[in-house]
Amino acid sequence: MPLITYREAVKQALDEEIQRDENVCIMGEEVAQYNGAYKVTEGLWEKHGDKRVIDTPISEAAFSGLAIGAACLGVRPVVELMFMSFSYVAFDQLFNNASFCRYMSGGLMNVPIVIRGPANGGTNVGATHSHTPENMVANHPGLKVVCPSNAYDAKGLMKAAIRDNDPVFVMENTLLYGQKWEVPEEEYIVELGVANILKEGTDLTIVSHGRCAIISLQAAEILQEKHGINVEVVDLRSIRPLDEETILNSVKKTHRAVLVEENKPFCGVDAQISHLIQFRAFDYLDAPVHRVSAIDAPQIYAKDLENWQIPNEERIIEAVLKAMK
Amino acid sequence: MATTKKKTAAKTATKKSASKTSPSKKPAKSPAKSPAKSPAKSPAKSPARASAKSSAQTAKKSGLPKDFMSAPINKGLSKEAKIDLYRTIIGIRRFEERSLRAYNQGKIGGFLHLYIGQEAVAAGIVSLMEENDHIITAYRDHGHALAVGMSMNECMAEMFGKHTGCSKGKGGSMHFFAPDKNYWGGHGIVAGQTPLGAGLAFALKYKGLKGCAVCFLGDGAVNQGAFMETLNLASLWNIPVVFVIENNGYSMGTSLKRSSAEENLAHRAEGFDMEWEVCNGHDVFEVREVANRAMVRARDAHKPFLLEIRTYRYRGHSVADANHEKYRTKEEIEEYKRTKDPVNLIREQLIADGTLTDGAAKKIDQEKKDEAEAAAKFADESPVAPRSEIQTDVYWEVDNDTDNKLKGTYFFND
Ligand SMILES: Cc1ncc(C[n+]2csc(CCOP(=O)(O)OP(=O)(O)O)c2C)c(N)n1
Ligand SMILES: [Mg+2]
C-alpha cells in the first residue's frame, strides 16, 4: 500500500468525488489559483477548472450560506474554511441554516454540503486560530461531524461526507497534513458513526479523536513499555453520529476510562462520553472516568506553553496512572 | 465639532454623487413620510424611482406619468390572470386577518408578523415567476407562501402547531417552506436568508438552467453583514439573483431614518457595481413592471439586481408589538390605507378597466374570507404531531434509512 500524506489523502478524496459526481464543487478562500492555503487542493483547479474549484472572497457567511442555497437545488458544495475558527463568522449560516432548515421545513429540505478545514491548536498562532468546535457542531441536531486522525480515515470519511445527504463537518488538522499513512489505491469509504480501535488492550480504555488519538496511541506505547499497562485506544473518528457501542464494549472490558481531546473541557465532546460511560457502564467501572482536555483558558500563543496546554503524552500518562490507582 | 462637520460633509457628498445618477432631485425618505404626495400612478412624481445604469432610459420615461397597467408586461395579461392577482392579494389580506384573530384567541403562539399592507409586492413578483425561478424570504412569509400557491389550510395549521401544517408544526409562522413550488422559506434570522438566495441562483447558473432567484428582505435587514457580503459575491460572480428590499419604513420600532445612514437603500448596489431600481409597492402592476425588468435581466444576462420597493405594514412589527402607534402616528397609517391600500387599488383598477364588476369583486372577497375561516377550523381540528415526531426530519439519512444500515447513535437522550 502506498504511504501518502494526510493532505494527499484529502486531496484524493476531493479529486475522486469531483470526477464521480458533476454536482460536487469546491469553494473557499485560495482553494483554486493559490492551490489552497495548506495546499490541500493543489492542482485541482488546474485539473477541473473554474466551475468546480472556486475561489471566494473573504466572506465566510456569504459563501457558506450560498453553498446551502445551492444545495437546495442539487449542487453538492464542499466548502473549505481556511481554519474552522472562521466558522464563527459564518455561525448563523452553519448553525442555523445548514442545521435546521430540514427540520423547520418538516423534512421537505435537506442540505448536502461538506464544511471542511483544519480545527486544531498546537500551531503557535494564538486564540483566534486554534478552535476545535466539534463539540459545538455536535450540539446542533441536524449537523454531523467527523475528526479523522490519519490519512486513511481522512480520505474515507471525506468521501462518505461528500456522499452524505446531510451537512457534515470534516475537522482536519494542520499538524497531520504532512504525516504519512498507508492508504490503499482502490476505492473505499469509511462510514460515519464507526469508531476504530487503534490498539487493543486490557487494563484501561482511552477514548479520543483527531490528532489526540495519535498522541494517545504514542502514550499507550510508553505506558506499555515503562509501566506495563496495557491500554486500549479507541479513536472515535465520528463524533456525531457516535459509535457508543464500541466505547461501552471497551470500557466494560477494561473497567477504566481516560478521555482525551483537544477541546476545552466545559461541554467538550468528552463531557458527553463521560456521561455515557457512567450511565450505561456504571457497574463496570473500577475508577472514576478521567479527562485530559486542553487546559481551560483561551489558546495561549507561547509555543512551549501551548504544547503543555493541549494534551500531550506526559499529561495523558499522568492521567492514566491516576486512573489505574 | 470638527468630526461632526466632516461627517456631514461626507454625507452630502454621497447624496450628491447619488443624485447625479438619479434623474430625480430629491430622494424620497420613507414611504411613510409623504404618503399622499406621490400619486400611485406617477413615477415622475415618485422621487426615488431611478435606475443607476439605465438612467438615460429611465430619464426619458420619467418625464411622463405612467399607467402601469398598460406597460407591456401587464397589457398582455388575460382577464383571468388579472383576477388571479386580485384573488391573491385579497386572499393574503383575509388570511392574515383571520390568523390575527386566531392569535388573539390564543390559538397561535410565538410571533406573528403580518403582511397586511404589503400584499402587492409578493403577489406581483410571484406572478412573474417562470419554471426555473425560485424565491426565498424572511419571517414575514405568509404572503409569499400563499402567492406561490400554498394552501391556507397548511399555512394556518402550521401556525397552530399542527401535524397538518406545511412543516408539520416544526417551523411555525416564520418558517414556511414549499420546495415543490420553488419556495425556500421562511427564515427567522434577519438577513440570514440572503446568502441562500444567492445560492439558489448560483445553482441555476451551475446547472445551466435559465432562471433567477428572488430573495426578499426588509429595510432593517440591509444592515446585516451577511447581506453586504452577499451583494458583493452576487455581483462578483454574476449570479442571477434579484434582491428585493421590501422597504416598509420600519425595522421593528426603528424608522429607516434611525437605522440607515443612506436612506435610499438601493443606492448600496452602486458600491458593488450592481444594477438597482426603486419603485412603489402598493400597485401590483407597478411592482410587476419594475420587477420584470430585474428578473428578465437576471435570467438573460446572469446579473444580480437590487430592487427597493417602498411599501408599508399596517400592523405592528409582530402582533406582540403593542407600541406601533408610538413610533409612528395614527395619521401616517390611516393616510397610507386611504390613499395606497393595495387591495382597494387593484379592485378599483380592475373595476375601472372592466375586468371585474363590484359584485364579482365582492364575491371573490367573500370566497377568501370563507377559505380563511375554513382554514382556521381545519387547523383547530387537526391533531398535533405525535411526540415521536420530535426526532424525525432532523437528518435526511436517518429518515431514509429504511433498511437500517446507518451506524452509530444520532440522538443522545438517555
Ligand atoms: C439577527 C437578528 N437580529 C434581530 C432579530 C429580531 N428582529 C426580528 S425582525 C426585526 C426587524 C427587521 O426589520 P426589517 O428588516 O425592516 O423587516 P420587516 O420586519 O419590516 O419586514 C428584528 C430586529 C432577528 N430576528 N434576527
Ligand atoms: Mg421593515
Side-chain angles (χ1 to χ4, degrees), chain B residues 218-220 246 248-251:
Chain B
D219 51 289
E246 295 196 59
N248 58 17
Y250 295 89
S251 47

Side-chain angles (χ1 to χ4, degrees), chain A residues 49 59 67 87-88 91 98 103 107 110 118 127 133 152-153 158 172 178 197 206 209 256-257 277 282-283 294 314:
Chain A
S59 303
S87 65
Y88 290 26
F91 207 91
Y103 196 70
N110 62 303
Y152 178 90
D153 289 353
M158 185 65 71
E172 300 165 15
I197 297 177
I206 289 180
H209 64 271
R256 292 169 204 270
I277 294 170
F282 187 74
D283 292 334
E314 193 181 338

Side-chain angles (χ1 to χ4, degrees), chain A residues 254-274:
Chain A
T254 65
H255 309 293
R256 292 169 204 270
V258 172
L259 313 180
V260 183
E261 67 176 332
E262 205 181 300
N263 258 318
K264 305 294 187 276
F266 200 107
C267 296
V269 170
D270 288 344
Q272 177 68 26
I273 312 265
S274 175

Side-chain angles (χ1 to χ4, degrees), chain B residues 298-327:
Chain B
R299 288 185 208 114
D300 289 349
H302 282 141
K303 292 277 190 188
F305 202 103
L306 182 59
L307 177 55
E308 176 185 349
I309 302 187
R310 306 274 165 101
T311 180
Y312 199 68
R313 69 164 152 77
Y314 294 1
R315 316 294 311 194
H317 166 67
S318 74
V319 179
D321 171 16
N323 270 338
H324 79 106
E325 284 176 6
K326 296 203 175 126
Y327 57 77

Side-chain angles (χ1 to χ4, degrees), chain A residues 92, chain B residues 111 113-115 118 138-140 174 187-192 217-222 224 246-254 313 317:
Chain A
D92 176 47
Chain B
F111 299 127
H113 307 94
L114 296 172
Y115 198 58
Q118 302 183 207
Y139 44 82
R140 200 178 297 285
M174 302 189 284
H187 294 266
I189 298 298
V190 169
L217 65 151
D219 51 289
V222 300
Q224 278 283 20
E246 295 196 59
N247 179 357
N248 58 17
Y250 295 89
S251 47
M252 279 188 74
T254 305
R313 69 164 152 77
H317 166 67

Side-chain angles (χ1 to χ4, degrees), chain A:
Chain A
M1 252 192 271
L3 265 183
I4 64 166
T5 61
Y6 189 109
R7 167 188 290 114
E8 177 65 21
V10 174
K11 191 206 316 195
Q12 282 183 6
L14 297 173
D15 190 15
E16 289 170 23
E17 292 303 298
I18 284 179
Q19 290 177 59
R20 185 188 59 81
D21 181 349
E22 62 183 11
N23 287 316
V24 173
C25 61
I26 298 173
M27 58 179 76
E29 292 152 20
E30 312 290 1
V31 297
Q33 302 196 23
Y34 188 82
N35 277 321
Y38 286 99
K39 300 287 177 269
V40 171
T41 53
E42 189 164 26
L44 294 183
W45 174 68
E46 242 167 43
K47 187 167 172 188
H48 301 291
D50 286 332
K51 182 178 177 189
R52 313 296 295 281
V53 186
I54 307 161
D55 277 328
T56 66
I58 310 161
S59 303
E60 284 82 0
F63 67 77
S64 299
L66 179 137
I68 297 165
C72 292
L73 299 185
V75 180
R76 302 178 78 90
V78 178
V79 174
E80 173 174 313
L81 296 178
M82 196 181 283
F83 288 82
M84 273 298 161
S85 293
F86 306 157
S87 65
Y88 290 26
V89 298
F91 207 91
D92 176 47
Q93 295 307 318
L94 299 172
F95 292 80
N96 268 323
N97 288 342
S99 53
F100 303 151
C101 274
R102 175 169 182 77
Y103 196 70
M104 294 190 302
S105 67
L108 297 174
M109 267 180 77
N110 62 303
V111 183
I113 63 168
V114 170
I115 307 291
R116 54 157 290 269
N120 59 282
T123 48
N124 195 209
V125 290
T128 55
H129 287 61
S130 304
H131 295 92
T132 50
E134 59 269 21
N135 57 332
M136 291 205 304
V137 177
N139 189 246
H140 287 73
L143 299 179
K144 299 175 178 175
V145 54
V146 297
C147 301
S149 69
N150 60 74
Y152 178 90
D153 289 353
K155 182 172 180 185
L157 286 169
M158 185 65 71
K159 292 180 76 123
I162 292 172
R163 295 178 192 193
D164 199 280
N165 285 313
D166 295 306
V168 185
F169 283 66
V170 181
M171 307 296 200
E172 300 165 15
N173 192 306
T174 54
L175 298 176
L176 299 179
Y177 278 146
Q179 294 189 35
K180 290 184 176 173
W181 281 268
E182 286 191 336
V183 174
E185 269 161 326
E186 56 279 12
E187 156 121 300
Y188 69 95
I189 293 269
V190 174
E191 285 179 284
L192 307 191
V194 183
N196 184 24
I197 297 177
L198 290 180
K199 173 184 176 300
E200 296 209 10
T202 50
D203 299 335
L204 179 145
T205 298
I206 289 180
V207 180
S208 189
H209 64 271
R211 177 171 164 269
C212 277
I214 303 299
I215 300 169
S216 297
L217 187 60
Q218 286 154 7
E221 274 151 21
I222 298 169
L223 283 158
Q224 182 86 59
E225 279 167 31
K226 293 208 176 145
H227 302 274
I229 299 170
N230 188 5
V231 170
E232 178 149 306
V233 180
V234 175
D235 176 0
L236 293 175
R237 299 206 280 207
S238 173
I239 307 300
R240 186 170 186 150
L242 181 67
D243 185 351
E244 295 186 319
E245 296 316 310
T246 297
I247 300 169
L248 292 168
N249 289 340
S250 178
V251 173
K252 286 176 184 174
K253 179 176 78 176
T254 65
H255 309 293
R256 292 169 204 270
V258 172
L259 313 180
V260 183
E261 67 176 332
E262 205 181 300
N263 258 318
K264 305 294 187 276
F266 200 107
C267 296
V269 170
D270 288 344
Q272 177 68 26
I273 312 265
S274 175
H275 167 73
L276 170 75
I277 294 170
Q278 68 79 27
F279 191 70
R280 302 242 329 254
F282 187 74
D283 292 334
Y284 293 85
L285 287 175
D286 287 344
V289 175
H290 285 59
R291 292 178 64 191
V292 182
S293 317
I295 291 172
D296 200 11
Q299 202 81 2
I300 196 163
Y301 163 71
K303 194 165 179 49
D304 292 343
L305 294 174
E306 191 192 18
N307 288 343
W308 183 250
Q309 183 175 24
I310 62 176
N312 53 32
E313 284 98 333
E314 193 181 338
R315 287 181 50 210
I316 295 168
I317 290 166
E318 197 181 305
V320 169
L321 293 177
K322 269 194 216 155
M324 287 303 294
K325 270 192 191 144

